[in-house]
Amino acid sequence: MAAPGSLEQPKPPGMTNPTENLDTAGVLQKAVKKITCLGSGFVGGPTSAVIAFKSDLEVTVVDINADRIAAWQSNELPIYEPGLYEIVQAVRDGDTLNQHCKGHGSYGTPHSNYPNRPKLVFSTDIDQAIRDADLIFVCVNTPTKSHGIGKGSAADLDFVEAATRTIARVATQDKIVVEKSTVPCRTAQSIREILAANAQPGVCFDVLSNPEFLAEGTAIRDLLHPDRIIIGSLPTPAGYRAAASLAKVYGQWVPQKRIITMNLWSSELSKLAANAMLAQRISSVNALSAICEATGADVDEVSHACGMDSRIGPQMLKAGPGFGGSCFQKDIFNIVYLSESLHLYEIADYWRAIIEMNEHQKQRFTKRIISCLYNNLAGKKLAVLGFAFKKDTSDTRESPAITLVSNFIAERARVAIYDPRVPQQQIWRELADNGCDPDMLKRNVSVCSSAYAACDAADAVVVVTEWDEFSNKVIIATPAARERRQPLAHHLGTIKHAPSPLTSPNVAKQGVLSPPGRMLQSPTRFQLPARKSAGIVIKDPRSGEIKTFNAQRSFSSSSPLESQFADSVTFESPPRHSNGLTMGDPNLPPGRTDQSYPGNNPVSPTYVAFDGPASTKLGRENTPSSINERLRAVEITSNLKPSGRLDWARVANSMRKPMFVFDGRNILDHGKLEALGFRVEAIGKRGRVASELLA
């Protein structure tokens, strides 16, 4: 490790400024053959699996929690992410799935062949894993402090320090130590000092910052096709060499232009800043939702209009009961504590207001539910659909459901909870940790194995998590119109069956390995069951020829494995005007180019709407002329409704009257529910009850 005074040493010939993109091709690199990851949580497990999957490196994941390691070694992984199980199975067990990984990656560049041998190991032998590793990822938990100075805002770095001291004590050779946990700015300096003070004679360490930018629910896609990889290092020859070594690891599947190098402190702060700004957007649209409810505006229409502005963009503008997860609140509190430590009190107040708005949204939604149910919840049964903080994950940390259910219990309501992915014991633990009385929990709360069981004899249904199976919206098809020098059919891709969340996840059916630019992100995405010959009918405008493509066929030119995951046709529910007309693509404004994938044409998809058996209606077009010249008519044909979705008519038959539905995620077609006799209230929309109260 370079001495502390080495910060001012001149850069080697050919080095760029550390705040600019570093061309690692010309930098002498340290050989990395074995990687160890300290921590097997939501970051360490998926990150290690993808590195082993996409490279020729051996990766060992270690943890002091033997039960968690045992779960990683089994077929019941301790966390759920679409696509994670298949990748872990391939690289952990060395099964036949590896044979599909040979050839070319989805970016068109060759990568190494994958032998049928295990490359991912889960172990509790931490010392041996450290000794064997050339590079060590520190992926331990950094919760908010619950004691002492900084309680409630500062990050608790106990696990980071313990991991650092263990590395220093055990390592007998030089190591690259990569700080991947989300930490306060300048934590790397503390790590360097601890390593230097405790290292064995002759052992040197290079410390890097490599923050993760994973969104739970899409973590595998984010790892395979990242927006950027940030590597922070000291501006010294040793720092540059270490950064180049880590860049080479990622460079086996990530384009060089997406690997960004900078100084350590910028890298650490970048992660906190990104999460704080994303949380800011959510709190902003949630604040607008209150105004919408009071004025009669529709928050979906308002957010869609704002998102069409290229300066704003559509992402993270979906109103809801508040953000959750382990990152947003914790990282904002880190910035608050950092600002106060630097005597920047006005700055601290600004960021703290985002947390306060988030908590206000949960309480506001609770009060609306109580008001609509005649200001009395005592003895009434509330069915809570969803407990995870978002769909496609089993993570419940800081989930809005915890606060909402706790409030319902305090009002003496009976609560029935259903979530397709969250284990029952995890729900009980979260509620108990939030201060709920154990006796009250046993009497008033039940965790159900199905949504129908939860809704049986209920007075109201509260949709808290946007799981696809809860939605009843009309399906809208959007062809994935991305120009990547592929045949016309490639832009539509394949339709694959989306398995029930209760079944074992399947990457090939989820399509999680296709680049994010190819499958537009939407709060409600559904896929046709391919079991009964759903197909794509395309009319070529130049030749007039009509072609039908089988739903199971793949048009990707990438590797055989990844071709199963490329370019699924997605089904979304964009907001509609009061006259019922579709307002266009909620994700990609007309004429806007996805800058993440240079060479893409400005596109906006043609929507094709269908509902049930009569599924051949051509939707309203909203595409630039360049796309119209290529694709004049697209029809998605199917005689089936998507499987695994909640039958709201069945729910209506089992509930008490009057029947209330509180749509916390705006994933429901309120007109359809009202036709079944439901009284519907939603965040950011003035519902029937609210209108009557204001009349």
Side-chain angles (χ1 to χ4, degrees), residues 53 128 222 342 472 516:
F53 181 72
Q128 187 61 48
D222 296 339
L342 298 172
N472 70 331

Side-chain angles (χ1 to χ4, degrees), residues 2 19 26 44 117 120 130 163 208 219 230 336 342 348 374 377 401 522 559-560 603 691 693:
T19 60
R117 61 179 176 83
L120 179 65
I130 291 174
L208 301 176
I230 290 180
V336 169
L342 298 172
Y374 315 110
L377 297 186
S522 170
S559 68
V603 297
S691 298
L693 292 174

Side-chain angles (χ1 to χ4, degrees), residues 30-107:
K30 296 183 178 180
V32 174
K33 297 181 179 179
K34 293 185 178 181
I35 292 176
T36 288
C37 178
L38 303 184
S40 62
F42 278 89
V43 175
T47 300
S48 299
V50 169
I51 290 176
F53 181 72
K54 296 295 290 185
S55 74
D56 54 2
L57 303 174
E58 296 181 12
V59 183
T60 300
V61 183
V62 293
D63 203 300
I64 60 174
N65 188 329
D67 291 338
R68 178 174 284 266
I69 290 298
W72 280 109
Q73 293 170 337
S74 72
N75 289 330
E76 298 294 333
L77 303 187
I79 63 175
Y80 170 70
E81 279 288 333
L84 175 62
Y85 175 79
E86 284 71 21
I87 288 181
V88 168
Q89 187 179 48
V91 292
R92 181 195 65 190
D93 304 336
D95 65 12
T96 55
L97 197 62
N98 277 329
Q99 68 183 335
H100 300 294
C101 305
K102 300 176 181 179
H104 291 268
S106 59
Y107 285 99

Side-chain angles (χ1 to χ4, degrees), residues 292-541:
C292 290
E293 292 169 20
T295 61
D298 186 315
V299 72
D300 280 346
E301 295 177 350
V302 172
S303 62
H304 178 73
C306 293
M308 294 288 286
D309 190 322
S310 60
R311 298 168 299 174
I312 299 173
Q315 299 299 321
M316 310 297 284
L317 289 181
K318 188 70 174 177
F323 57 75
S326 64
C327 294
F328 284 2
Q329 179 168 298
K330 178 186 69 174
D331 292 353
I332 292 176
F333 276 140
N334 274 339
I335 292 181
V336 169
Y337 184 72
L338 176 63
S339 300
E340 291 177 339
S341 300
L342 298 172
H343 307 292
L344 302 173
Y345 300 111
E346 294 82 5
I347 308 303
D349 291 342
Y350 172 81
W351 291 109
R352 186 183 289 108
I354 296 172
I355 300 295
E356 293 172 351
M357 175 55 62
N358 195 56
E359 293 303 312
H360 172 70
Q361 185 76 347
K362 301 173 191 176
Q363 301 304 327
R364 197 174 67 82
F365 192 39
T366 299
K367 292 177 181 178
R368 184 172 180 183
I369 292 171
I370 295 173
S371 176
C372 292
L373 292 175
Y374 315 110
N375 293 308
N376 176 35
L377 297 186
K380 294 178 180 177
K381 180 179 178 181
L382 273 61
V384 174
L385 300 186
F387 200 83
F389 83 92
K390 62 185 287 190
K391 73 173 186 176
D392 291 337
T393 182
S394 58
D395 195 354
T396 56
R397 289 174 291 182
E398 305 296 341
S399 172
I402 299 172
T403 300
L404 294 174
V405 171
S406 298
N407 291 342
F408 299 154
I409 295 172
E411 293 290 329
R412 301 297 190 268
R414 295 181 295 118
V415 183
I417 304 169
Y418 166 71
D419 190 287
R421 282 292 174 187
V422 180
Q424 182 175 137
Q425 291 304 316
Q426 186 173 332
I427 294 176
W428 293 119
R429 184 173 61 252
E430 290 284 13
L431 293 173
D433 290 346
N434 197 50
C436 292
D437 181 78
D439 294 333
M440 187 76 73
L441 280 176
K442 293 178 181 178
R443 289 197 305 269
N444 289 15
V445 178
S446 60
V447 180
C448 303
S449 59
S450 73
Y452 299 110
C455 296
D456 185 44
D459 295 274
V461 176
V462 184
V463 179
V464 183
T465 309
E466 69 279 20
W467 287 103
D468 290 344
E469 68 178 85
F470 301 151
S471 179
N472 70 331
K473 283 191 174 182
V474 173
I475 298 174
I476 306 294
T478 67
R482 289 284 190 250
E483 287 285 351
R484 295 179 62 83
R485 300 183 303 278
Q486 298 289 349
L488 175 62
H490 176 80
H491 296 290
L492 296 179
T494 55
I495 304 176
K496 296 184 182 294
H497 170 54
S500 167
L502 290 174
T503 63
S504 180
N506 189 310
V507 179
K509 296 177 181 179
Q510 291 279 355
V512 297
L513 297 192
S514 56
R518 295 183 181 180
M519 180 183 283
L520 300 178
Q521 302 298 312
S522 170
T524 52
R525 185 189 305 116
F526 309 98
Q527 297 178 307
L528 287 175
R531 295 189 297 269
K532 296 197 177 181
S533 67
I536 304 175
V537 180
I538 302 178
K539 179 178 180 180
D540 189 323

Side-chain angles (χ1 to χ4, degrees), residues 108-164:
T109 57
H111 53 65
S112 302
N113 290 343
Y114 295 81
N116 290 340
R117 61 179 176 83
K119 298 190 298 173
L120 179 65
V121 176
F122 295 95
S123 172
T124 56
D125 191 346
I126 298 174
D127 289 5
Q128 187 61 48
I130 291 174
R131 282 191 288 267
D132 292 343
D134 303 305
L135 183 149
I136 301 171
F137 283 117
V138 178
C139 299
V140 298
N141 193 20
T142 55
T144 301
K145 285 188 69 175
S146 59
H147 58 277
I149 297 175
K151 175 182 177 180
S153 57
D156 189 337
L157 300 178
D158 282 353
F159 296 122
V160 173
E161 181 172 343
T164 303

Side-chain angles (χ1 to χ4, degrees), residues 225-275:
H225 308 282
D227 292 331
R228 76 286 201 198
I229 297 292
I230 290 180
I231 301 174
S233 70
L234 290 176
T236 64
Y240 291 133
R241 286 194 296 270
S245 299
L246 181 56
K248 184 177 180 180
V249 171
Y250 287 113
Q252 295 186 63
W253 76 94
V254 179
Q256 178 68 32
K257 62 186 176 183
R258 294 181 183 275
I259 302 175
I260 310 299
T261 60
M262 56 185 65
N263 73 52
L264 279 169
W265 330 128
S266 296
S267 176
E268 291 175 331
L269 188 56
S270 293
K271 172 59 188 295
L272 300 178
N275 279 345

Side-chain angles (χ1 to χ4, degrees), residues 266-294:
S266 296
S267 176
E268 291 175 331
L269 188 56
S270 293
K271 172 59 188 295
L272 300 178
N275 279 345
M277 296 179 76
L278 292 173
Q280 178 191 51
R281 289 171 68 93
I282 297 175
S283 283
S284 295
V285 75
N286 281 342
L288 289 171
S289 72
I291 299 176
C292 290
E293 292 169 20

